[in-house]
Amino acid sequence: MNAPFVEQKARQTLAVVDCDIHPAHRTPGELLPYLEPRWREHYETHGVHVRQALQSGLMYPRMMAAGMRADSLPEKGGPAGSDLDLLRKQHLDPVNVEFGLLMALSKGGMEERNPGLAAALSRATNDWQIDRWVREEPRLRAGIVVPQEFPEAAVAEIERCAGDRRYVQIMLSSRPSDPLGHRRYWPIYEAAERAGLPIGLHPVGYNGGHPSTGSGWPTFYLQEHYVFVACMEALASSLIIEGVFERFPKLKVVLVEGGFGWAPALAWRMDKHFDKFRKEVAHLKRRPSEYLREHIWWTTQPIEEPAQARHIVEIIDWIGWDRLLYSSDYPHWDYDNPSFAFKFPMTEPQRRMIFRDNALALYRLA
């Protein structure tokens, strides 16, 4: 878990595209220069007003290093994920990362209640990603952080950034205030489709203050960590059944850090119910499984590890080998090194699809 890092003896030979790298601010005030003066003063005077009270701390104890790799704290100070040179040394260089996709989750506007500040924080975070990371390291790419609970502002930020090819997706929290199939979020999907950019759903925040499960708050972090899966299942079914993919046929969605072993079972259940209730959802022209397999991609970390490796292979066969994207989750405690994370047999074409080719095509990196 948080064991000391063991350096690889040999460089990873196959170039990879990592679809989940988490940058962090070196200091609490690092974002301030990227805020307009009016919002910088507001931030320094009043702070943030997030949708729940626990955003600034860890809701569940996560072992030492606050859930990060024990070796990822920079020697010169700052939190894990804040040092570009250390990212290069521990991950980009030894793993042979051709492109790394940033997932900027901290103070990005997703959780902010104040509409103006939410938009300002999102804009600042996007500018910070380019200035502090992408400009200094050409292998990195940014994701457009948006104030998703304020769709008009989210659309404006998408339109501001979409012309810059250094942004390769639009980031949303998988823990929104409402199910993401609700029509108030549809302007975001329309803007994403118009820009030709995928939506990346990543766990962040605490459901607008709602319990993270349908039966209340979990007791242990082990439960909370598993609930990432339940969130993704709920959002996938919401997007499909409420007609998002029927309305936006070119929209692509990536489920990040939510596993994928559950996908066939969810599709089978939705199809079974659709056969009985299709008159209720007459806006759907196809079975739910068809939308799922056409519009959704999954990142690999944290990958399920059944006792018999063939079981995970059968699941991937059902999903499609062209729908999986390698992700490391650097610098978190459950970091996946591509040399050791996959404990099932793959052909060379399958390996290339998961580690590189699928992401090159989806994010237009080639």
Side-chain angles (χ1 to χ4, degrees):
M1 187 179 292
N2 263 325
F5 174 65
V6 179
E7 288 202 40
Q8 292 175 253
K9 294 182 179 179
R11 177 185 171 95
Q12 165 90 1
T13 56
L14 174 64
V16 303
V17 178
D18 183 355
C19 297
D20 189 16
I21 296 176
H22 294 291
H25 302 141
R26 286 174 291 197
T27 65
E30 185 173 2
L31 205 60
L32 291 178
Y34 300 93
L35 287 170
E36 297 175 2
R38 179 256 193 272
W39 291 112
R40 186 184 314 153
E41 179 183 3
H42 181 100
Y43 185 91
E44 292 178 317
T45 304
H46 303 288
V48 296
H49 183 199
V50 295
R51 288 185 286 124
Q52 43 68 41
L54 300 171
Q55 177 70 12
S56 61
L58 288 175
M59 197 171 195
Y60 293 87
R62 300 189 184 182
M63 79 287 296
M64 63 181 180
M68 303 295 174
R69 281 174 42 165
D71 64 329
S72 63
L73 293 173
E75 292 184 0
K76 50 190 172 185
S82 64
D83 189 299
L84 178 55
D85 289 335
L86 190 57
L87 170 62
R88 291 179 176 128
K89 176 183 177 182
Q90 291 187 332
H91 183 56
L92 298 182
D93 294 340
V95 171
N96 195 18
V97 173
E98 183 176 1
F99 294 102
L101 276 56
L102 298 175
M103 291 281 175
L105 304 180
S106 178
K107 293 185 176 62
M110 294 181 185
E111 297 291 299
E112 176 58 44
R113 288 180 182 269
N114 183 320
L117 182 58
L121 287 171
S122 296
R123 183 186 185 107
T125 297
N126 295 329
D127 291 345
W128 168 80
Q129 289 182 79
I130 297 297
D131 185 56
R132 167 79 167 77
W133 297 90
V134 179
R135 185 173 288 119
E136 295 186 29
E137 175 47 72
R139 289 173 288 185
L140 296 178
R141 293 293 183 271
I144 304 174
V145 175
V146 299
Q148 67 190 56
E149 303 305 331
F150 308 103
E152 184 177 347
V155 170
E157 186 62 14
I158 292 169
E159 292 176 345
R160 185 182 77 92
C161 298
D164 188 335
R165 293 295 299 271
R166 294 174 295 181
Y167 296 102
V168 297
Q169 66 183 329
I170 298 158
M171 289 179 53
L172 300 182
S173 169
S174 64
R175 291 179 159 183
S177 289
D178 296 303
L180 286 178
H182 283 197
R183 295 202 175 199
R184 74 185 192 88
Y185 297 111
W186 284 25
I188 298 175
Y189 309 140
E190 183 178 16
E193 186 181 60
R194 186 167 58 247
L197 293 174
I199 297 283
L201 296 179
H202 191 291
V204 59
Y206 300 109
N207 298 57
H210 306 305
S212 55
T213 79
S215 56
W217 292 104
T219 301
F220 301 104
Y221 175 58
L222 172 61
Q223 297 168 280
E224 170 70 7
H225 194 264
Y226 172 76
V227 168
F228 291 173
V229 170
C231 287
M232 293 299 188
E233 288 183 290
L235 293 181
S237 62
S238 176
L239 292 168
I240 292 168
I241 294 172
E242 300 205 36
V244 171
F245 298 130
E246 183 63 38
R247 173 62 180 80
F248 304 105
K250 296 181 181 180
L251 184 65
K252 301 174 182 178
V253 172
V254 183
L255 305 185
V256 184
E257 209 170 316
F260 58 84
W262 48 267
L266 175 65
W268 297 332
R269 179 173 289 272
M270 287 193 297
D271 281 356
K272 178 182 177 180
H273 291 166
F274 177 72
D275 290 340
K276 294 179 174 62
F277 303 122
R278 66 171 61 205
K279 288 185 178 180
E280 182 190 22
V281 288
H283 54 277
L284 298 182
K285 308 306 180 186
R286 294 184 289 161
R287 304 182 88 195
S289 62
E290 296 179 49
Y291 295 107
L292 183 143
R293 297 172 85 166
E294 180 176 329
H295 292 273
I296 293 179
W297 280 253
W298 288 264
T299 64
T300 57
Q301 194 284 332
I303 195 168
E304 290 85 352
E305 297 182 9
Q308 297 186 42
R310 65 180 177 83
H311 292 159
I312 199 71
V313 173
E314 291 171 357
I315 291 173
I316 300 174
D317 285 341
W318 187 93
I319 292 173
W321 289 85
D322 62 335
R323 286 300 190 263
L324 290 187
L325 310 164
Y326 164 68
S327 59
S328 70
D329 199 27
Y330 181 91
H332 292 169
W333 65 269
D334 47 355
Y335 165 81
D336 274 354
N337 186 308
S339 298
F340 310 111
F342 299 88
K343 301 177 176 63
F344 55 89
M346 289 185 280
T347 66
E348 186 58 28
Q350 289 169 343
R351 182 177 297 275
R352 290 184 65 86
M353 281 194 286
I354 290 178
F355 285 118
R356 180 175 183 270
D357 294 349
N358 293 343
L360 289 181
L362 177 65
Y363 296 110
R364 301 182 299 177
L365 296 169

